[in-house]
Amino acid sequence: MGVQGLLPFVSSASTEVSLEDYRGQTLACDASVWLHRGAISCARELAEGEPAVGFLRFPLRMIALLKRHGVRPLIVFDGGAMPMKARVDAARAADRESAKARGEFNKTVKITAAMTQQLIERLRQDGVEFVVAPFEADSQLAFLVQHGHAAAALTEDSDLLAYRCPSVLFKLSESGHARRITFAGLQHAQDSKGQLLFDGAWEGEWAAWEGGLFVAMCIMAGCDYLPSVPGVGVATAHKALRAGRTVERALAKLHSKRSGPPAPVAAEAYLLRALGL
DNA sequence: ATCGAGTGGATAT
DNA sequence: TCCACTCGAT
Ligand SMILES: [Mn+2]
């Protein structure tokens, strides 16, 4: 899921880059999207339990693409299931079941531990480095970049920005080009009218976003771990935080303007605890 | 304007 | 594992 609507919201902060820009460097690669895309090529076989290895082709091709540009791939796999993500996991399992009933095999694709293990065996043979994250790959990718083990993360997941990953590459194409968003670059993100989103409204505004408001915005707009607040997306969360300048005042503002059923209390409690407030 | 639910898509020839 | 797009509701 990621943070719904976040990438379009901050797209002005993205720049076109080439893998050539990372020649001689390491990129931490999100294995899950590559595996899913690969699995589509043999979705029916996988759905019917037939032996299949075709799903390996796409990830191996992407690794070859990186190597061709002199980039060292560090493949990051999802590890254990996150207890807090059980709600989303259950919803996806139900979606897969109904898709199977309708014969839409593309939507039944589930990456199993056995499939992950097959790719890992190939990586071992090929001498490609990899790590298995304790839980989701998202936070592991951010960690690797934050600590200098990789120059950037290569993924499709907007959650990497919520995890404050310093540099993220999205939408890699066969030509070796991608869109890069750096966390620091968010300071210059603009709205459609050219106005800065996270700086310039008051003295030191960017420092406040960098120091926690941006993460709070992502959580308020909805994450996989909590039921989202109805009617609040990225834009509304951004406006409330900008007007309130603190999470507490932003939440109070949203409460006061709220119509309809009361907002879930649990989400707010978790948010405040997550932010240490 | 903004949200969110629904739909379609990612492969490969 | 995710995203982009459309469209009705608010
Ligand atoms: Mn994620």
Side-chain angles (χ1 to χ4, degrees):
Chain A
M1 295 178 68
V3 180
Q4 244 67 358
L6 180 62
L7 290 183
F9 192 71
V10 300
S11 65
S12 66
S14 74
T15 59
E16 184 88 2
V17 295
S18 166
L19 289 178
E20 280 301 315
D21 301 332
Y22 291 91
R23 183 171 286 277
Q25 298 186 273
T26 301
L27 288 180
C29 307
D30 190 339
S32 54
V33 166
W34 287 354
L35 278 166
H36 273 265
R37 289 174 67 172
I40 291 169
S41 71
C42 50
R44 186 193 59 80
E45 290 86 338
L46 290 169
E48 302 185 342
E50 299 173 16
V53 291
F55 66 89
L56 294 171
R57 194 170 0 142
F58 184 81
L60 292 174
R61 190 205 303 160
M62 297 308 278
I63 289 166
L65 174 64
L66 266 63
K67 286 183 166 177
R68 198 182 319 141
H69 288 275
V71 175
R72 172 173 161 262
L74 174 54
I75 313 301
V76 181
F77 292 92
D78 284 306
M82 272 283 279
M84 283 187 80
K85 206 177 176 178
R87 180 179 50 93
V88 165
D89 289 339
R92 285 180 177 170
D95 287 346
R96 284 195 296 271
E97 276 306 308
S98 64
K100 189 172 184 177
R102 282 178 278 117
E104 295 176 7
F105 297 121
N106 283 10
K107 302 197 178 211
T108 67
V109 168
K110 159 83 173 166
I111 304 304
T112 65
M115 293 165 68
T116 298
Q117 195 54 44
Q118 288 183 71
L119 180 53
I120 284 176
E121 286 305 325
R122 287 295 296 266
L123 298 184
R124 284 208 171 99
Q125 293 170 21
D126 298 348
V128 176
E129 294 180 83
F130 66 90
V131 298
V132 179
F135 295 99
E136 291 196 276
D138 308 24
S139 45
Q140 183 68 35
L141 289 160
F143 177 95
L144 290 166
V145 180
Q146 276 161 353
H147 290 76
H149 295 102
L154 181 54
T155 183
E156 303 297 336
D157 189 353
S158 59
D159 281 335
L160 269 287
L161 295 175
Y163 284 120
R164 307 170 54 101
C165 185
S167 188
V168 190
L169 308 189
F170 298 99
K171 308 182 200 317
L172 176 65
S173 70
E174 305 251 1
S175 69
H177 293 271
R179 304 291 307 180
R180 173 171 61 201
I181 299 181
T182 66
F183 195 83
L186 293 172
Q187 179 174 8
H188 308 110
Q190 302 172 351
D191 64 18
S192 56
K193 298 176 211 160
Q195 300 299 305
L196 290 175
L197 286 169
F198 306 115
D199 199 13
W202 70 86
E203 190 70 25
E205 185 188 7
W206 168 245
W209 286 102
E210 189 182 31
L213 294 190
F214 185 84
V215 177
M217 179 184 79
C218 292
I219 297 172
M220 286 188 219
C223 68
D224 295 344
Y225 303 148
L226 301 169
S228 63
V229 181
V232 176
V234 174
T236 302
H238 172 263
K239 279 181 189 164
L241 286 165
R242 206 167 205 190
R245 301 192 184 189
T246 67
V247 175
E248 299 94 319
R249 287 199 295 264
L251 290 172
K253 201 167 292 281
L254 286 176
H255 277 299
S256 66
K257 290 189 176 178
R258 202 178 158 72
S259 61
V265 171
E268 185 171 322
Y270 274 114
L271 169 61
L272 293 172
R273 198 176 70 183
L275 295 174
L277 300 174

